[in-house]
């Protein structure tokens, strides 16, 4: 049973398109995250949600909009895709908001914008 | 802003060699420290973490890490690596009071059998 799953695993699209990445966790966790891994391999936090409420919103362009329909799901919608959006996007979840909580990661979605 | 530096991007070792991967962070306050590992084809997973107490922490698969506050370091060690330790290793830091993890760029370890 996969704990944190993401779909799709690979996404290739043209500039200007709108796309979504879905994330689901079956761990019963209250907190979920989106990270972006750029070409230099750094994972950078984009958003976090706790019980469907936005907690962290880093300086991400407003073309990126997270949506949490329930605490087990956190989807990422991206409008007007740009070349610089090409990256691997990781979803993660944790039990709570404590800094000591372990985060559990999904397999990643490799987005390529042409 | 917090940052995390991992000094080696690629490390190649023979089986049974000892491993030490460096990690330094820039945050001056109290921190929680993590090492995550991504084995080929698998999800990123926790190897070990430190948040208080004994600065030498032990994790899964014989790994350990030592927090040296004066050096802002949290180096990962294993006395004798195995081929199955081939993976990418990420150091991460979280400042007390928040749940935001700041990651290093990762170190790719290849163990030759």
């Amino acid at each position: 049973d996969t704990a944190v799953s993401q779909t799709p695993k690979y996404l290739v699209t043209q500039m200007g398109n709108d796309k979504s990445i879905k994330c689901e966790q079956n761990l019963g966790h209250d907190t979920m995250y989106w990270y972006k891994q750029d070409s230099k391999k750094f994972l950078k936090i984009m958003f976090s949600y706790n019980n469907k409420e936005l907690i962290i919103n880093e300086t991400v362009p407003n073309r990126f909009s997270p949506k949490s329909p329930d605490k087990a799901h956190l989807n990422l919608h991206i409008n007007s895709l740009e070349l610089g959006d090409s990256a691997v996007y990781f979803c993660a979840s944790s039990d709570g908001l404590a800094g000591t909580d372990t985060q559990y990661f999904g397999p990643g979605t490799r987005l390529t914008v042409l | 802003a917090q940052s995390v530096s991992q000094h080696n991007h690629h490390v190649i070792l023979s089986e049974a060699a000892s491993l030490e991967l460096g990690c330094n962070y820039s945050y001056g306050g109290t921190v929680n420290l993590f090492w995550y590992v991504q084995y080929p084809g698998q999800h990123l997973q926790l190897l070990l973490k430190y948040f208080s107490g004994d600065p030498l922490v032990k994790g899964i698969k014989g790994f350990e890490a030592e927090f040296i506050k004066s050096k802002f370091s949290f180096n990962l060690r294993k006395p004798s690596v195995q081929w199955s330790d081939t993976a990418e290793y990420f150091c991460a830091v979280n400042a007390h009071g928040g749940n935001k993890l700041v990651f290093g760029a990762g170190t790719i370890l290849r163990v030759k059998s």
Side-chain angles (χ1 to χ4, degrees), chain A residues 2 4 31 33 35 37 40-43 45 48 56 58 90 97 99-103 105-107, chain B residues 4 9 32 34 36 38 43-44 46 49 51 88 90 94 98-106 108:
Chain A
T2 304
V4 182
T31 307
Y33 310 79
Y35 287 85
Q37 186 179 40
K40 293 184 180 175
K41 302 301 287 286
F42 287 99
L43 275 98
I45 183 82
S48 80
I56 293 174
E58 289 293 287
F90 287 95
L97 285 171
T100 53
D101 286 341
T102 298
Q103 294 186 20
F105 285 81
Chain B
V4 178
H9 192 54
N32 301 311
F34 303 79
Y36 280 83
Q38 188 169 26
H43 299 199
L44 203 62
L46 182 73
K49 64 182 178 182
F51 49 93
E88 189 158 16
F90 292 89
N94 155 274
N99 67 332
K100 179 176 129 178
L101 277 181
V102 177
F103 281 85
I108 297 170

Side-chain angles (χ1 to χ4, degrees), chain A residues 19-37:
Chain A
K19 290 293 177 188
S20 292
I21 307 171
K22 296 187 175 181
C23 178
E24 176 180 0
Q25 54 95 2
N26 63 6
L27 297 167
H29 287 167
D30 287 340
T31 307
M32 295 185 72
Y33 310 79
W34 277 109
Y35 287 85
K36 179 181 179 181
Q37 186 179 40

Side-chain angles (χ1 to χ4, degrees), chain B residues 47-89:
Chain B
L47 199 54
L48 49 78
K49 64 182 178 182
Y50 169 82
F51 49 93
S52 66
D54 188 344
L56 184 63
V57 290
K58 295 193 185 298
I60 59 172
K61 304 187 180 186
F63 284 90
E64 64 179 31
E66 185 176 12
F67 169 49
I68 303 180
K69 190 174 180 179
S70 60
K71 294 185 178 179
F72 299 90
S73 70
F74 189 55
N75 292 354
L76 182 70
R77 299 194 292 247
K78 185 170 182 178
S80 175
V81 293
Q82 300 173 307
W83 177 81
S84 58
D85 294 325
T86 294
E88 189 158 16
Y89 293 81

Side-chain angles (χ1 to χ4, degrees), chain A residues 85-114:
Chain A
D85 298 331
S86 294
V88 182
Y89 292 84
F90 287 95
C91 177
S93 72
S94 65
D95 194 24
L97 285 171
T100 53
D101 286 341
T102 298
Q103 294 186 20
Y104 294 81
F105 285 81
T109 295
R110 184 174 293 277
L111 171 65
T112 304
V113 182
L114 303 175

